């Protein structure tokens, strides 16, 4: 917000010099010094109604100019439009470099998401982090968090890379916050449901699962159902991919699959996965998804339609596609059942 006290345009010159000086002084008190209209009225010996009229006239006659500014990398107009369309609590759209528009999840999304978590997480919260490249970038960019517990919500893409992936993200977030960390040292996808069930009962993993119902803020990634953009897609066999594709899968989030309308499909896959259940995700007060790029737009739309996500950090490329992606969905904040009617 900028106030130019003596910006004397043609219309402003219709005011006499005494009026200009007084209006500029009142405007400085109100806009720059934060004084109330009553305080200004007492100082100048006039009524608060006179102060209100002077301030209104100052705006009309270009004596005061109000500018709303956000950092250059944030697109406030798209952010607000996207929030309204999907009924989100928060939507933050990041301006990505032109050369990165086709790339999924530009790294600067993680930096903005880290700042958003700094706003959303309060002391004593339980922060949940799911596997994903964007959440790993977010954790690496964290520089402030109030004291909170950090728990891993999914297994890892490859147990051999745990130290460089979501386990390290959980440790990093806990280090920044000064809270406890509860990582999961297990693959996300197991060969069968029995192996997954046995792992869930192991001490360390069971301890992490005990925190799932306590999570107050969660951070998740979204994947399109195609090579290199969905972790789960890449872990399955060709036969399994074809099977789930036949069910109409359009998106994946934390090993949960969704069709284009946001309905969960292929729920049998979840039985083989180490991941937070969809109904638990739905009960988390704040679920922030980090996903961008035009190639992910349809997948983001599908997950937002599920009602599991309350907030989104994305980029202009994905946002433009989302704004024209079919009829407006039901509001996410209703947190509708992701399995549909």
């Amino acid at each position: 917000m900028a106030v130019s006290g003596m910006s004397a345009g043609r219309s402003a010159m219709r005011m006499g010099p005494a009026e200009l000086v007084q209006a500029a002084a009142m405007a400085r008190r109100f806009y720059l010094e934060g004084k109330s209209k009553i305080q200004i009225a007492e100082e100048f010996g006039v009524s608060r109604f006179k102060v209100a009229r002077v301030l209104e006239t100052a705006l009309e006659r270009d004596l005061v100019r109000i500018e709303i500014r956000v950092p250059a990398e944030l697109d406030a107009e798209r952010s607000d439009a996207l929030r309204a369309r999907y009924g989100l609590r928060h939507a933050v759209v990041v301006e990505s470099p032109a050369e990165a528009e086709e790339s999924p999840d530009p790294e600067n999304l993680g930096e903005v998401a880290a700042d958003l978590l700094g706003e959303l997480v309060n002391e004593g919260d339980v922060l949940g982090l799911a596997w994903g490249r964007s959440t790993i970038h977010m954790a690496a960019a964290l520089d402030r968090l109030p004291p909170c517990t950090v728990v891993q919500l999914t297994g890892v893409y490859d147990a051999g890379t745990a130290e460089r992936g979501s386990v390290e993200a959980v440790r990093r977030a806990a280090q920044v916050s000064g809270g406890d960390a509860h990582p999961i040292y297990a693959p996300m996808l197991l060969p069968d449901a029995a192996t997954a069930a046995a792992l869930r009962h192991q001490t360390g993993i069971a301890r992490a699962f005990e925190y799932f119902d306590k999570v107050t803020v969660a951070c998740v990634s979204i994947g399109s159902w195609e090579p290199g953009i969905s972790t789960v897609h890449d872990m399955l066999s060709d036969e399994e991919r074809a099977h789930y594709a036949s069910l109409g899968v359009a998106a994946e989030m934390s090993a949960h699959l969704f069709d284009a309308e946001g309905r969960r499909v292929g729920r049998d896959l979840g039985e083989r996965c180490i991941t937070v259940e969809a109904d638990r995700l739905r009960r988390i007060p704040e679920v922030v998804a980090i996903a961008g790029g035009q190639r992910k737009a349809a997948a983001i739309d599908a997950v937002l339609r599920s009602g599991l996500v309350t907030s989104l950090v994305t980029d202009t490329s994905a946002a433009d596609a989302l704004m024209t992606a079919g009829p407006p969905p039901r509001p996410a904040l209703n947190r509708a059942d992701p399995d549909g009617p």
Side-chain angles (χ1 to χ4, degrees), residues 193-273:
T195 303
L199 273 178
R200 291 189 198 103
H201 286 92
Q202 287 190 357
T203 303
I205 297 174
R207 186 177 298 116
F209 268 65
E210 289 174 358
Y211 275 91
F212 286 0
D213 286 330
K214 303 174 185 177
V215 173
T216 50
V217 180
C219 192
V220 300
S221 297
I222 295 173
S224 301
W225 197 245
E226 57 180 301
I229 307 186
S230 166
T231 299
V232 172
H233 179 282
D234 292 346
M235 289 191 288
L236 296 174
S237 66
D238 290 341
E239 183 179 354
E240 290 170 325
R241 291 171 191 149
H243 165 67
Y244 291 117
S246 72
L247 301 179
V249 60
E252 173 260 318
M253 179 183 69
S254 302
H256 300 296
L257 308 181
F258 304 87
D259 68 11
E261 298 301 318
R263 295 182 292 258
R264 285 185 62 211
V265 296
R267 280 173 279 177
D268 60 307
L269 181 66
E271 298 175 4
R272 297 170 49 195
C273 293

Side-chain angles (χ1 to χ4, degrees), residues 303-317:
V303 172
L304 292 182
R305 289 175 185 274
S306 76
L308 289 176
V309 170
T310 61
S311 297
L312 175 69
V313 177
T314 190
D315 64 354
T316 52
S317 180

Side-chain angles (χ1 to χ4, degrees), residues 22-36:
Q22 184 183 68
M26 288 183 176
R28 287 194 180 93
R29 303 293 193 279
F30 186 73
Y31 291 107
L32 299 182
E33 299 175 15
K35 290 188 176 181
S36 70

